Amino acid sequence: MQLNTHAETLLAGPEFDAPRERTLRIVERTVAELGLPEGDVQSRVYAAARAQGLHLCPLITGPWLRLALLDQTGAPDSVLSAGRAPTGAIHIASAPVSDDVEHPKGFYLRVADGVPWLRGYRCDDTYVWPADQRLAFALPDQT
């Protein structure tokens, strides 16, 4: 597994100092499946997911999901950074750890040229997530 510098920055954060043990059920949805066929900004995408009963994942979900999905389908291209959501990526829907636009907001998973990546990403709330963008959310706890 490979990391970019944004992933390394996130992994060095306090969220990873003493994570609490928890079992999560994860579901993947596209932005369009959340009811946003034209895409939308992250805050509205997350609000649409909450309206469907989905939850944001703890930040620590990213590395664990990367390990669980080593057989993820490879991306159709090997472009790793282009100022847009990369093709074939699954973003982990999690609350941003900082309001600073220069600080990474979360993780995404991608396989490029046969190599699984855990990558961090940055965006502000003006960036429109495309309708085909895939995101991983947590399902409500079963009690």
Side-chain angles (χ1 to χ4, degrees), residues 10-100:
L10 290 168
L11 289 168
E15 298 81 5
F16 292 90
D17 289 346
R20 85 178 169 100
E21 187 174 319
R22 183 174 172 191
T23 299
L24 295 174
R25 294 180 307 133
I26 303 296
V27 64
E28 184 182 312
R29 297 285 186 269
T30 65
V31 172
E33 290 171 333
L34 296 172
L36 302 166
E38 303 300 317
D40 216 324
V41 296
Q42 184 174 349
S43 59
R44 290 190 189 125
V45 170
Y46 287 0
R50 281 191 300 276
Q52 291 187 16
L54 303 175
H55 297 276
L56 296 181
C57 299
L59 188 63
I60 196 166
T61 306
W64 286 109
L65 201 54
R66 171 71 290 160
L67 292 171
L69 296 176
L70 289 175
D71 62 347
Q72 177 185 4
T73 302
D77 64 55
S78 59
V79 177
L80 290 175
S81 181
R84 59 170 171 73
T87 57
I90 302 170
H91 280 72
I92 311 306
S94 60
V97 295
S98 171
D99 291 332
D100 180 356

